[in-house]
Amino acid sequence: MDTLNDIFIQISSFLWGWPMMILLLGTHLFLTVRLKFPQRKIFTAIRLSVKRDAGATGDVSQFGSLATALAATIGTGNIIGVATAIALGGPGAVLWCWLTGVFGISTKYAEGLLAIKYRVKTANGKMLGGPMYALERGLGWKPLAVLFAVFTALASFGIGCTVQANAMSVMIFETYGVDMWMTGLAMCGLLAAVICGGVRIIAKVCGLLVPFMALLYVAGCVIILVNNAAYLLPAIRLICKAAFSPEAAGGGFAGASVMMAARYGIARGLFSNESGLGSAPIVAAAAQTRNPVRQALVSSSGTFWDTVVICALTGLVIVSSIIAYPDIDYSNGAALTKEAFAKIPYVGTAILSTGLVTFAFSTAIGWCYYGERAVEYLKGSRWVKVYRLAYIVSMFAGSVISLTLVWNIADCMNALMAIPNLLSLLFLSGVTVKETRKYLWSGHLDDNMDEERME
């Protein structure tokens, strides 16, 4: 097992090295320029996300699809991931993480648009879509579409299920002393009750969980930032300086370099918002929307909330706490956020533990939907129940076993998902521009899509 783990560590390091960072960030920048900076429409996107498109075709509301995508996206990466980036790359990593989110809005926009453009309607009226359909129907690349679906299904058992189960069981054990197997059983029961209800139940549960968990976590961050008010501006200055000058960080961060700050900031930002990964468009395809551009805007708002807001708050909390409390051990990324929240008297640890558990559980729900759609694309709907059973069993297994190997395998699967998805975004960028010109740039955002698109 140790040998196998070492092999996957090497593969993961290669896949998530600078070539991948350049491909992902390059795609973000390319789409931002070619789509004339869709970030400037973010407030329109937020407005659309809370409106229902009356008479539009789809399985769930636009808010429901966004909530499900956010449920799968907002997770331990927003909390532990940012802290790890700071521990490894210094405070400057926060700025790179934030910039990745800002430019990633364009990529998430393109993913949402193509999801609606190339989705299909089954005999029973269900909407299916995502990168595998864009690859097959838009480019005729069926083998690459199959590979994407395979990697998605495999990744769902790792980063979506067992890793999240382990995070929940460990957090509850360390905070409240509850045995990990008991947490595993409870989570399996809750998960089964949700996912067996299908996409509509998943969307409803996520629609309740996402606002609750986000508001709870943001409230905790705001309390800490109020307590650290005197250190907030110094923290912002340090983040900006350290992103381009490693000496600015000083102390234990003296060994960090600009390259390390950029690498870990970009990598954690990409893991956090999943822009370019290809997961979110799978649920975007189920949205009730008048045309592809409306859903593209709604999808893009997910990256705004995930990285531009929540990850930025996390980064400010950690860096300001490091300045305010010199006793914090900032060499341990996993413990950084926990120590920062512990500074809130009485309720700090409870807020963090509740947030982490809720984030992890919602991520498991969202990724189960992604895996289901991947399996349905590969083998048909008859295999979905088998997948659900395997997913629930994996949830229990993840809560009681060590997951070092699983983490590394999941990292590899995520990278292998991203590559075909990014290719589809680049090669279909002309289609994205054409649809954007038709509905957004020409002022026809309220028009309905042509019926032939709903084959």
Side-chain angles (χ1 to χ4, degrees):
M1 293 296 289
D2 289 341
T3 302
L4 186 62
N5 188 49
D6 290 340
I7 292 173
F8 275 101
I9 288 175
Q10 294 299 319
I11 296 174
S12 178
S13 297
F14 170 76
L15 289 173
W16 285 106
W18 277 110
M20 176 63 81
M21 297 297 101
I22 293 170
L23 176 61
L24 278 161
L25 193 56
T27 301
H28 291 347
L29 293 170
F30 171 76
L31 291 173
T32 293
V33 174
R34 187 157 196 202
L35 295 171
K36 300 180 181 179
F37 291 82
Q39 292 88 341
R40 57 195 173 88
K41 297 291 184 179
I42 192 62
F43 292 110
T44 300
I46 294 171
R47 175 177 58 82
L48 290 175
S49 70
V50 295
K51 290 179 63 178
R52 183 180 292 273
D53 263 1
T57 306
D59 298 331
V60 297
S61 67
Q62 289 180 315
F63 177 76
S65 70
L66 175 63
T68 304
L70 280 174
T73 304
I74 299 178
T76 53
N78 300 81
I79 302 174
I80 305 301
V82 175
T84 303
I86 294 171
L88 296 173
V94 176
L95 180 61
W96 289 106
C97 180
W98 187 79
L99 288 173
T100 300
V102 171
F103 291 110
I105 289 173
S106 300
T107 300
K108 191 65 71 73
Y109 170 94
E111 288 179 320
L113 189 152
L114 294 177
I116 299 297
K117 172 70 176 176
Y118 293 110
R119 69 181 179 180
V120 298
K121 190 175 184 179
T122 64
N124 60 4
K126 184 168 58 176
M127 293 295 182
L128 301 177
M132 51 277 205
Y133 294 91
L135 285 162
E136 179 183 351
R137 304 184 74 217
L139 294 169
W141 295 354
K142 181 64 179 283
L144 210 55
V146 170
L147 285 176
F148 175 86
V150 170
F151 295 141
T152 301
L154 292 175
S156 70
F157 286 105
I159 196 68
C161 181
T162 51
V163 167
Q164 306 303 327
N166 192 260
M168 286 186 283
S169 62
V170 170
M171 175 59 71
I172 292 175
F173 175 75
E174 291 180 350
T175 307
Y176 305 107
V178 178
D179 287 341
M180 294 168 69
W181 67 269
M182 294 180 65
T183 300
L185 284 178
M187 291 301 106
C188 285
L190 290 172
L191 180 68
V194 174
I195 65 176
C196 289
V199 65
R200 289 184 173 86
I201 298 299
I202 290 174
K204 286 181 180 179
V205 172
C206 291
L208 294 173
L209 278 179
V210 167
F212 166 75
M213 68 185 188
L215 288 173
L216 179 68
Y217 182 70
V218 168
C221 289
V222 170
I223 292 172
I224 295 175
L225 291 177
V226 169
N227 290 339
N228 297 349
Y231 305 96
L232 188 55
L233 286 178
I236 294 173
R237 285 195 294 265
L238 178 60
I239 288 170
C240 295
K241 289 181 180 179
F244 305 101
S245 174
E247 293 79 11
F253 297 113
S257 66
V258 173
M259 295 291 284
M260 289 175 64
R263 176 180 176 181
Y264 288 110
I266 292 171
R268 298 309 175 192
L270 294 168
F271 267 118
S272 171
N273 58 54
E274 295 184 8
S275 294
L277 189 62
S279 51
I282 295 175
V283 69
Q288 298 165 348
T289 187
R290 297 182 200 177
N291 59 64
V293 171
R294 289 175 74 90
Q295 182 55 37
L297 289 168
V298 171
S299 295
S300 71
S301 69
T303 297
F304 171 80
W305 293 120
D306 178 88
T307 305
V308 179
V309 175
I310 293 180
C311 283
L313 282 174
T314 303
L316 287 173
V317 162
I318 294 173
V319 176
S320 64
S321 296
I322 289 173
I323 298 174
Y325 307 103
D327 60 311
I328 288 182
D329 177 15
Y330 46 80
S331 63
N332 185 347
L336 255 179
T337 312
K338 187 175 182 180
E339 291 191 42
F341 270 79
K343 300 299 181 181
I344 304 178
Y346 308 113
V347 298
T349 302
I351 290 175
L352 181 62
S353 61
T354 303
L356 270 173
V357 169
T358 311
F359 284 176
F361 182 68
S362 66
T363 298
I365 295 174
W367 268 93
C368 182
Y369 180 79
Y370 297 157
E372 284 183 16
R373 298 289 74 81
V375 168
E376 187 166 0
Y377 176 81
L378 292 169
K379 303 293 291 184
S381 58
R382 64 187 182 278
W383 282 88
V384 169
K385 290 183 179 179
V386 176
Y387 169 83
R388 287 175 180 171
L389 179 61
Y391 197 85
I392 293 169
V393 172
S394 297
M395 171 68 80
F396 180 77
S399 66
V400 295
I401 63 174
S402 175
L403 292 177
T404 303
L405 177 59
V406 175
W407 259 112
N408 291 318
I409 294 175
D411 283 350
C412 295
M413 294 302 106
N414 284 343
L416 293 172
M417 282 176 62
I419 293 170
N421 178 57
L422 291 170
L423 290 175
S424 71
L425 292 173
L426 293 172
F427 281 91
L428 291 172
S429 61
V431 174
T432 306
V433 170
K434 180 181 178 181
E435 295 293 311
T436 303
R437 180 182 296 111
K438 178 177 181 178
Y439 292 108
L440 184 61
W441 297 341
S442 62
H444 294 94
L445 192 57
D446 293 333
D447 288 0
N448 291 320
M449 69 181 84
D450 298 333
E451 289 300 321
E452 62 264 25
R453 289 180 185 147
M454 303 298 297
E455 297 172 353

